Coordinates of all heavy atoms in Angstrom, one line a residue:
M1 N -12.6 4.9 -17.3 CA -13.3 5.0 -16.0 C -14.5 5.9 -16.2 O -14.4 7.1 -16.7 CB -12.3 5.6 -14.9 CG -12.9 5.5 -13.5 SD -11.9 6.3 -12.3 CE -10.5 5.2 -12.2
D2 N -15.7 5.4 -15.9 CA -16.8 6.3 -16.1 C -17.1 7.2 -14.8 O -16.4 7.1 -13.9 CB -18.1 5.4 -16.4 CG -18.5 4.5 -15.3 OD1 -17.8 4.5 -14.2 OD2 -19.5 3.8 -15.4
N3 N -18.2 8.0 -14.9 CA -18.5 8.9 -13.9 C -18.7 8.3 -12.5 O -18.2 8.8 -11.5 CB -19.7 9.8 -14.2 CG -19.3 11.2 -14.7 OD1 -18.2 11.6 -14.5 ND2 -20.3 11.9 -15.1
N4 N -19.4 7.2 -12.5 CA -19.7 6.5 -11.2 C -18.5 6.0 -10.5 O -18.3 6.2 -9.3 CB -20.7 5.3 -11.4 CG -22.1 5.8 -11.8 OD1 -22.5 6.9 -11.5 ND2 -22.8 4.9 -12.5
E5 N -17.5 5.5 -11.3 CA -16.3 5.0 -10.7 C -15.4 6.2 -10.2 O -14.8 6.0 -9.2 CB -15.5 4.2 -11.7 CG -16.1 2.9 -12.1 CD -15.3 2.1 -13.1 OE1 -14.3 2.6 -13.6 OE2 -15.8 1.1 -13.5
Q6 N -15.4 7.3 -10.9 CA -14.7 8.4 -10.4 C -15.3 9.0 -9.1 O -14.5 9.3 -8.2 CB -14.7 9.5 -11.5 CG -13.8 9.2 -12.7 CD -13.9 10.2 -13.8 OE1 -14.8 11.1 -13.8 NE2 -13.0 10.2 -14.7
E7 N -16.6 9.1 -9.0 CA -17.2 9.5 -7.8 C -16.9 8.6 -6.6 O -16.7 9.0 -5.5 CB -18.7 9.7 -8.0 CG -19.1 10.8 -8.9 CD -20.6 10.9 -9.2 OE1 -21.3 10.4 -8.4 OE2 -20.9 11.5 -10.2
Y8 N -17.0 7.3 -6.9 CA -16.7 6.2 -5.9 C -15.3 6.4 -5.4 O -15.1 6.4 -4.2 CB -16.9 4.9 -6.6 CG -16.6 3.7 -5.7 CD1 -17.5 3.3 -4.8 CD2 -15.5 2.9 -5.9 CE1 -17.3 2.2 -4.0 CE2 -15.2 1.8 -5.2 CZ -16.1 1.4 -4.2 OH -15.9 0.3 -3.4
S9 N -14.3 6.6 -6.3 CA -12.9 6.7 -5.9 C -12.7 8.0 -5.1 O -12.0 8.1 -4.1 CB -12.0 6.7 -7.1 OG -12.0 5.5 -7.7
R10 N -13.3 9.1 -5.6 CA -13.2 10.4 -5.0 C -13.7 10.4 -3.6 O -13.1 11.0 -2.7 CB -13.9 11.5 -5.8 CG -13.6 12.9 -5.4 CD -14.2 13.9 -6.3 NE -13.9 13.7 -7.7 CZ -14.8 13.5 -8.7 NH1 -16.1 13.6 -8.4 NH2 -14.5 13.4 -9.9
E11 N -14.8 9.7 -3.4 CA -15.5 9.6 -2.0 C -14.5 8.9 -1.0 O -14.3 9.4 0.1 CB -16.7 8.8 -2.1 CG -17.4 8.6 -0.8 CD -18.7 7.7 -0.9 OE1 -19.3 7.8 -2.0 OE2 -18.9 7.0 0.0
Y12 N -13.9 7.9 -1.5 CA -12.9 7.2 -0.6 C -11.7 8.0 -0.3 O -11.2 8.0 0.8 CB -12.5 5.8 -1.2 CG -13.5 4.7 -0.9 CD1 -14.3 4.2 -2.0 CD2 -13.8 4.3 0.4 CE1 -15.2 3.2 -1.7 CE2 -14.7 3.3 0.6 CZ -15.4 2.8 -0.5 OH -16.3 1.8 -0.2
V13 N -11.2 8.7 -1.3 CA -10.0 9.5 -1.1 C -10.3 10.7 -0.2 O -9.5 11.0 0.7 CB -9.5 10.0 -2.5 CG1 -8.4 11.1 -2.3 CG2 -8.9 8.9 -3.3
Q14 N -11.4 11.3 -0.3 CA -11.8 12.4 0.6 C -12.0 12.0 2.0 O -11.6 12.7 2.9 CB -13.1 13.1 0.1 CG -12.9 13.9 -1.2 CD -14.2 14.4 -1.8 OE1 -15.2 14.1 -1.3 NE2 -14.1 15.3 -2.8
N15 N -12.5 10.8 2.2 CA -12.8 10.3 3.6 C -11.5 9.7 4.2 O -11.5 9.4 5.4 CB -13.9 9.3 3.6 CG -15.2 10.0 3.2 OD1 -15.4 11.2 3.4 ND2 -16.1 9.2 2.7
G16 N -10.5 9.4 3.4 CA -9.3 8.7 3.8 C -9.5 7.3 4.2 O -8.8 6.7 4.9
V17 N -10.6 6.7 3.6 CA -10.9 5.3 3.8 C -10.4 4.4 2.7 O -10.5 4.8 1.5 CB -12.5 5.1 4.0 CG1 -12.8 3.7 4.2 CG2 -13.0 6.0 5.1
V18 N -9.8 3.3 3.0 CA -9.4 2.3 2.0 C -10.5 1.4 1.7 O -11.0 0.7 2.7 CB -8.1 1.6 2.5 CG1 -7.7 0.6 1.5 CG2 -7.0 2.6 2.8
P19 N -11.0 1.2 0.5 CA -12.0 0.3 0.2 C -11.6 -1.2 0.5 O -10.5 -1.5 0.5 CB -12.3 0.4 -1.3 CG -11.5 1.6 -1.7 CD -10.5 1.9 -0.7
Q20 N -12.6 -2.0 0.9 CA -12.4 -3.4 1.3 C -11.7 -4.2 0.1 O -10.9 -5.0 0.4 CB -13.7 -4.0 1.7 CG -13.5 -5.3 2.5 CD -12.8 -5.1 3.8 OE1 -12.9 -4.0 4.4 NE2 -12.0 -6.1 4.2
E21 N -12.1 -3.8 -1.1 CA -11.5 -4.6 -2.3 C -10.0 -4.3 -2.4 O -9.3 -5.2 -3.0 CB -12.1 -4.1 -3.6 CG -13.6 -4.0 -3.8 CD -14.2 -2.8 -3.2 OE1 -13.9 -1.7 -3.7 OE2 -15.0 -2.9 -2.3
I22 N -9.5 -3.2 -1.9 CA -8.1 -2.9 -2.0 C -7.3 -3.7 -1.0 O -6.1 -4.1 -1.2 CB -7.9 -1.4 -1.8 CG1 -8.6 -0.6 -2.9 CG2 -6.4 -1.0 -1.8 CD1 -8.1 -0.8 -4.3
K23 N -7.8 -3.9 0.2 CA -7.1 -4.6 1.3 C -6.8 -6.0 0.9 O -7.6 -6.7 0.3 CB -7.9 -4.6 2.6 CG -8.1 -3.2 3.1 CD -8.9 -3.2 4.3 CE -9.1 -1.7 4.8 NZ -9.9 -1.7 6.1
G24 N -5.6 -6.5 1.2 CA -5.2 -7.8 0.9 C -3.7 -7.9 0.8 O -3.0 -7.0 1.0
W25 N -3.2 -9.1 0.4 CA -1.8 -9.4 0.4 C -1.2 -8.8 -0.9 O -1.8 -8.9 -2.0 CB -1.5 -10.9 0.4 CG -0.1 -11.2 0.5 CD1 0.7 -11.6 -0.5 CD2 0.7 -11.2 1.7 NE1 2.0 -11.8 0.0 CE2 2.0 -11.6 1.3 CE3 0.4 -10.8 3.0 CZ2 3.0 -11.6 2.3 CZ3 1.5 -10.9 3.9 CH2 2.7 -11.2 3.5
N26 N 0.0 -8.2 -0.8 CA 0.7 -7.6 -2.0 C 2.0 -8.3 -2.1 O 2.9 -8.1 -1.3 CB 0.8 -6.1 -1.8 CG 1.4 -5.4 -3.0 OD1 2.3 -5.9 -3.6 ND2 0.8 -4.3 -3.3
W27 N 2.2 -9.2 -3.1 CA 3.4 -9.9 -3.3 C 4.6 -9.0 -3.7 O 5.7 -9.2 -3.4 CB 3.2 -11.0 -4.3 CG 2.5 -12.2 -3.7 CD1 1.2 -12.5 -3.9 CD2 3.1 -13.1 -2.8 NE1 0.9 -13.7 -3.2 CE2 2.1 -14.1 -2.5 CE3 4.3 -13.3 -2.2 CZ2 2.3 -15.1 -1.6 CZ3 4.5 -14.4 -1.3 CH2 3.5 -15.3 -1.1
G28 N 4.3 -7.9 -4.4 CA 5.3 -7.0 -4.9 C 5.9 -6.3 -3.7 O 7.2 -6.1 -3.6
A29 N 5.1 -5.9 -2.7 CA 5.6 -5.2 -1.5 C 6.4 -6.2 -0.6 O 7.3 -5.8 0.1 CB 4.4 -4.6 -0.8
F30 N 6.0 -7.5 -0.7 CA 6.6 -8.5 0.1 C 8.0 -8.8 -0.4 O 9.0 -8.9 0.3 CB 5.8 -9.7 0.2 CG 6.4 -10.9 1.0 CD1 6.4 -10.8 2.4 CD2 6.9 -11.9 0.3 CE1 7.0 -11.9 3.1 CE2 7.5 -13.0 1.0 CZ 7.5 -13.0 2.4
C31 N 8.1 -9.1 -1.7 CA 9.3 -9.6 -2.4 C 10.3 -8.5 -2.7 O 11.5 -8.6 -2.6 CB 9.0 -10.3 -3.6 SG 8.0 -11.8 -3.3
F32 N 9.8 -7.3 -3.2 CA 10.7 -6.3 -3.7 C 10.4 -5.0 -2.9 O 10.2 -3.9 -3.4 CB 10.4 -6.0 -5.2 CG 10.5 -7.3 -6.0 CD1 9.3 -7.8 -6.5 CD2 11.7 -7.9 -6.2 CE1 9.4 -9.0 -7.3 CE2 11.8 -9.0 -7.0 CZ 10.6 -9.6 -7.5
N33 N 10.3 -5.1 -1.6 CA 9.8 -4.1 -0.7 C 10.4 -2.7 -0.9 O 9.7 -1.7 -1.0 CB 9.9 -4.5 0.8 CG 11.2 -5.3 1.0 OD1 12.2 -4.8 0.7 ND2 11.0 -6.4 1.7
I34 N 11.7 -2.6 -1.0 CA 12.3 -1.2 -1.1 C 12.0 -0.6 -2.5 O 11.6 0.5 -2.6 CB 13.8 -1.3 -0.8 CG1 14.0 -1.7 0.6 CG2 14.5 0.0 -1.1 CD1 15.5 -2.1 1.0
N35 N 12.2 -1.4 -3.5 CA 11.9 -0.9 -4.9 C 10.5 -0.6 -5.0 O 10.1 0.4 -5.7 CB 12.4 -1.9 -6.0 CG 13.9 -2.1 -6.0 OD1 14.6 -1.1 -5.7 ND2 14.3 -3.3 -6.4
W36 N 9.6 -1.5 -4.5 CA 8.2 -1.3 -4.6 C 7.8 0.0 -3.8 O 6.9 0.8 -4.3 CB 7.5 -2.5 -3.9 CG 6.0 -2.3 -3.9 CD1 5.1 -2.7 -4.8 CD2 5.2 -1.7 -2.9 NE1 3.8 -2.4 -4.5 CE2 3.9 -1.8 -3.3 CE3 5.5 -1.1 -1.7 CZ2 2.8 -1.2 -2.5 CZ3 4.5 -0.5 -0.9 CH2 3.2 -0.6 -1.4
G37 N 8.4 0.3 -2.7 CA 8.1 1.5 -1.9 C 8.4 2.8 -2.7 O 7.6 3.7 -2.7
F38 N 9.6 2.8 -3.4 CA 9.9 4.0 -4.2 C 8.9 4.2 -5.3 O 8.5 5.3 -5.6 CB 11.3 3.9 -4.7 CG 12.4 4.2 -3.7 CD1 13.4 3.3 -3.4 CD2 12.4 5.4 -3.0 CE1 14.4 3.6 -2.5 CE2 13.4 5.8 -2.1 CZ 14.4 4.8 -1.8
G39 N 8.6 3.1 -5.9 CA 7.7 3.2 -7.1 C 6.3 3.6 -6.7 O 5.6 4.2 -7.5
N40 N 5.9 3.4 -5.5 CA 4.5 3.7 -5.0 C 4.5 4.9 -4.0 O 3.5 5.1 -3.3 CB 3.8 2.5 -4.4 CG 3.4 1.5 -5.4 OD1 2.5 1.8 -6.2 ND2 4.1 0.4 -5.4
K41 N 5.6 5.6 -3.9 CA 5.8 6.8 -3.1 C 5.4 6.4 -1.6 O 4.8 7.2 -0.9 CB 4.9 7.9 -3.6 CG 5.2 8.3 -5.0 CD 4.2 9.4 -5.4 CE 4.3 9.6 -6.9 NZ 3.1 10.2 -7.5
S42 N 5.8 5.3 -1.2 CA 5.6 4.8 0.2 C 7.0 4.5 0.7 O 7.6 3.5 0.3 CB 4.7 3.6 0.2 OG 4.6 3.1 1.5
Y43 N 7.4 5.2 1.7 CA 8.8 5.0 2.2 C 8.9 4.2 3.5 O 10.0 4.0 3.9 CB 9.4 6.4 2.3 CG 9.4 7.2 1.0 CD1 8.5 8.2 0.8 CD2 10.1 6.7 -0.1 CE1 8.4 8.9 -0.4 CE2 10.0 7.4 -1.3 CZ 9.2 8.4 -1.5 OH 9.1 9.0 -2.7
L44 N 7.8 3.7 4.0 CA 7.9 2.8 5.1 C 8.7 1.5 4.8 O 9.3 1.0 5.7 CB 6.5 2.5 5.6 CG 5.8 3.6 6.4 CD1 4.4 3.3 6.7 CD2 6.6 3.9 7.7
P45 N 8.6 1.0 3.6 CA 9.4 -0.2 3.3 C 10.9 0.0 3.5 O 11.7 -1.0 3.5 CB 9.1 -0.6 1.8 CG 7.7 -0.1 1.7 CD 7.7 1.2 2.5
L46 N 11.4 1.2 3.6 CA 12.8 1.4 3.8 C 13.2 0.9 5.2 O 14.4 0.6 5.4 CB 13.2 2.9 3.7 CG 13.2 3.5 2.4 CD1 13.4 5.0 2.4 CD2 14.3 2.9 1.5
L47 N 12.3 0.6 6.1 CA 12.6 0.0 7.3 C 13.1 -1.4 7.2 O 13.6 -2.0 8.1 CB 11.4 0.1 8.3 CG 11.0 1.5 8.8 CD1 9.7 1.4 9.5 CD2 12.1 2.1 9.6
C48 N 12.9 -2.0 6.0 CA 13.5 -3.3 5.7 C 15.0 -3.3 5.7 O 15.6 -4.4 5.7 CB 12.9 -3.8 4.4 SG 11.2 -4.2 4.5
L49 N 15.6 -2.2 5.7 CA 17.1 -2.1 5.8 C 17.6 -2.2 7.2 O 18.8 -2.4 7.4 CB 17.5 -0.7 5.2 CG 17.2 -0.5 3.7 CD1 17.6 1.0 3.4 CD2 18.0 -1.5 2.9
V50 N 16.7 -2.2 8.2 CA 17.1 -2.3 9.6 C 17.4 -3.8 9.9 O 16.4 -4.6 9.7 CB 16.1 -1.7 10.6 CG1 16.5 -1.9 12.0 CG2 15.9 -0.3 10.2
P51 N 18.6 -4.2 10.3 CA 18.8 -5.7 10.6 C 17.9 -6.2 11.6 O 17.5 -5.5 12.6 CB 20.3 -5.7 11.0 CG 20.9 -4.4 10.5 CD 19.7 -3.4 10.5
F52 N 17.5 -7.4 11.5 CA 16.6 -8.2 12.4 C 15.2 -7.7 12.4 O 14.3 -8.5 12.4 CB 17.2 -8.3 13.8 CG 18.5 -8.9 13.9 CD1 19.6 -8.1 14.2 CD2 18.7 -10.2 13.7 CE1 20.9 -8.7 14.3 CE2 20.0 -10.8 13.7 CZ 21.1 -10.0 14.0
F53 N 15.0 -6.4 12.3 CA 13.6 -5.9 12.2 C 13.0 -6.2 10.9 O 11.8 -6.4 10.8 CB 13.7 -4.4 12.4 CG 12.4 -3.7 12.4 CD1 11.4 -3.9 13.4 CD2 12.0 -2.8 11.4 CE1 10.2 -3.3 13.4 CE2 10.8 -2.2 11.3 CZ 9.9 -2.4 12.4
N54 N 13.9 -6.3 9.9 CA 13.4 -6.6 8.5 C 12.7 -7.9 8.3 O 11.8 -8.1 7.5 CB 14.5 -6.5 7.5 CG 15.6 -7.5 7.7 OD1 15.6 -8.2 8.6 ND2 16.6 -7.4 6.8
I55 N 13.0 -8.9 9.2 CA 12.3 -10.2 9.1 C 10.8 -10.1 9.3 O 10.0 -10.7 8.7 CB 13.0 -11.2 10.1 CG1 14.4 -11.4 9.7 CG2 12.2 -12.5 10.1 CD1 15.3 -12.1 10.7
I56 N 10.5 -9.2 10.3 CA 9.1 -9.0 10.6 C 8.5 -8.0 9.6 O 7.3 -8.1 9.1 CB 8.9 -8.5 12.0 CG1 9.4 -9.5 13.0 CG2 7.5 -8.0 12.3 CD1 9.6 -9.0 14.4
W57 N 9.3 -7.0 9.3 CA 8.7 -5.8 8.5 C 8.4 -6.3 7.1 O 7.4 -5.7 6.5 CB 9.7 -4.7 8.5 CG 9.0 -3.4 8.1 CD1 9.3 -2.7 6.9 CD2 8.0 -2.7 8.8 NE1 8.4 -1.6 6.9 CE2 7.7 -1.6 8.0 CE3 7.4 -2.9 10.0 CZ2 6.7 -0.7 8.4 CZ3 6.4 -2.0 10.4 CH2 6.1 -0.9 9.6
I58 N 9.0 -7.3 6.5 CA 8.6 -7.7 5.1 C 7.2 -8.2 5.1 O 6.5 -8.0 4.2 CB 9.6 -8.7 4.5 CG1 9.7 -10.0 5.3 CG2 10.9 -8.1 4.3 CD1 10.5 -11.1 4.7
F59 N 6.8 -8.9 6.2 CA 5.4 -9.4 6.3 C 4.4 -8.2 6.5 O 3.3 -8.3 6.0 CB 5.3 -10.4 7.4 CG 6.0 -11.7 7.1 CD1 7.3 -11.9 7.6 CD2 5.4 -12.6 6.3 CE1 7.9 -13.1 7.3 CE2 6.0 -13.8 6.0 CZ 7.3 -14.0 6.5
V60 N 4.8 -7.2 7.2 CA 4.0 -6.0 7.4 C 3.8 -5.3 6.0 O 2.7 -4.9 5.6 CB 4.6 -5.0 8.4 CG1 3.8 -3.7 8.4 CG2 4.6 -5.7 9.8
C61 N 4.9 -5.2 5.2 CA 4.8 -4.6 3.9 C 3.9 -5.4 3.0 O 3.1 -4.8 2.3 CB 6.2 -4.6 3.3 SG 7.3 -3.4 4.0
G62 N 3.9 -6.7 3.0 CA 3.1 -7.6 2.2 C 1.6 -7.4 2.6 O 0.7 -7.3 1.8
A63 N 1.3 -7.3 3.9 CA 0.0 -7.1 4.4 C -0.6 -5.7 4.2 O -1.8 -5.6 3.9 CB -0.1 -7.5 5.9
K64 N 0.2 -4.7 4.3 CA -0.3 -3.3 4.2 C 0.1 -2.6 2.9 O -0.3 -1.5 2.7 CB 0.3 -2.5 5.3 CG -0.1 -2.9 6.7 CD -1.5 -2.4 6.9 CE -2.0 -2.5 8.3 NZ -3.3 -2.0 8.5
G65 N 0.8 -3.3 2.0 CA 1.2 -2.7 0.8 C 0.1 -2.1 -0.1 O 0.3 -1.0 -0.6
N66 N -1.0 -2.8 -0.3 CA -2.0 -2.3 -1.1 C -2.6 -1.0 -0.5 O -3.0 0.0 -1.2 CB -3.1 -3.3 -1.3 CG -2.7 -4.4 -2.2 OD1 -1.8 -4.3 -3.0 ND2 -3.4 -5.5 -2.1
E67 N -2.8 -1.0 0.8 CA -3.3 0.2 1.5 C -2.4 1.4 1.4 O -2.9 2.5 1.1 CB -3.6 -0.1 3.0 CG -4.6 -1.2 3.2 CD -4.8 -1.5 4.6 OE1 -4.8 -0.6 5.5 OE2 -4.9 -2.7 4.9
W68 N -1.1 1.2 1.5 CA -0.1 2.3 1.4 C -0.1 2.8 0.0 O -0.1 4.1 -0.2 CB 1.3 1.8 1.8 CG 1.4 1.5 3.2 CD1 0.7 1.8 4.3 CD2 2.5 0.6 3.8 NE1 1.2 1.3 5.4 CE2 2.3 0.5 5.1 CE3 3.5 -0.1 3.2 CZ2 3.1 -0.2 6.0 CZ3 4.4 -0.8 4.0 CH2 4.1 -0.9 5.4
A69 N -0.2 2.0 -1.0 CA -0.2 2.4 -2.4 C -1.5 3.2 -2.7 O -1.4 4.2 -3.4 CB -0.1 1.2 -3.3
W70 N -2.6 2.7 -2.2 CA -3.9 3.4 -2.4 C -3.8 4.8 -1.8 O -4.3 5.8 -2.4 CB -5.0 2.6 -1.8 CG -6.3 3.3 -1.8 CD1 -6.9 4.1 -0.8 CD2 -7.3 3.3 -2.9 NE1 -8.1 4.6 -1.2 CE2 -8.4 4.1 -2.5 CE3 -7.3 2.7 -4.1 CZ2 -9.5 4.3 -3.3 CZ3 -8.4 2.9 -4.9 CH2 -9.5 3.7 -4.5
K71 N -3.3 5.0 -0.6 CA -3.3 6.3 0.1 C -2.3 7.2 -0.5 O -2.5 8.4 -0.5 CB -3.0 6.1 1.6 CG -4.1 5.4 2.3 CD -3.8 5.3 3.8 CE -4.9 4.6 4.5 NZ -4.6 4.4 6.0
N72 N -1.2 6.7 -1.1 CA -0.1 7.6 -1.6 C -0.3 7.9 -3.1 O 0.3 8.8 -3.6 CB 1.2 6.9 -1.4 CG 1.6 6.9 0.1 OD1 1.2 7.8 0.8 ND2 2.3 5.9 0.5
N73 N -1.1 7.2 -3.8 CA -1.3 7.4 -5.3 C -2.7 7.8 -5.5 O -3.6 6.9 -5.7 CB -0.9 6.2 -6.1 CG 0.5 5.9 -6.0 OD1 1.3 6.8 -6.0 ND2 0.9 4.6 -6.0
N74 N -3.0 9.1 -5.5 CA -4.4 9.5 -5.7 C -4.9 9.2 -7.1 O -4.6 9.7 -8.0 CB -4.5 11.0 -5.4 CG -4.3 11.3 -3.9 OD1 -4.4 10.4 -3.1 ND2 -3.8 12.5 -3.6

């Protein structure tokens, strides 16, 4: 990673903004939500353990997984 990329990443982390390139579908968070959550220090996928709520929450994990990983892994 060169200097420009480090400054670019640092700017987003300091502002708490997720870059547009990061947003998108995450198949790992969708399919392996609980394991993926532990691996990325994101514990919201544990809500997939709640019966009936998990049907909706797996889609939320897939849609928001990249953003959660970006925010939790500096």
Side-chain angles (χ1 to χ4, degrees):
M1 191 185 290
D2 64 359
N3 255 352
N4 291 337
E5 290 178 1
Q6 288 177 347
E7 290 176 21
Y8 179 75
S9 296
R10 191 176 307 122
E11 176 184 329
Y12 279 111
V13 170
Q14 288 174 350
N15 294 334
V17 176
V18 177
Q20 196 63 30
E21 309 84 64
I22 299 296
K23 295 180 181 179
W25 189 258
N26 188 317
W27 282 104
F30 177 77
C31 295
F32 309 108
N33 37 49
I34 296 169
N35 293 331
W36 178 91
F38 282 124
N40 287 290
K41 301 175 193 162
S42 176
Y43 302 108
L44 285 171
L46 287 174
L47 290 173
C48 289
L49 295 172
V50 178
F52 301 110
F53 181 69
N54 62 355
I55 296 168
I56 297 167
W57 197 249
I58 61 171
F59 290 98
V60 173
C61 289
K64 293 288 194 177
N66 287 339
E67 296 177 42
W68 293 340
W70 173 267
K71 289 180 180 178
N72 292 329
N73 292 326
N74 292 339

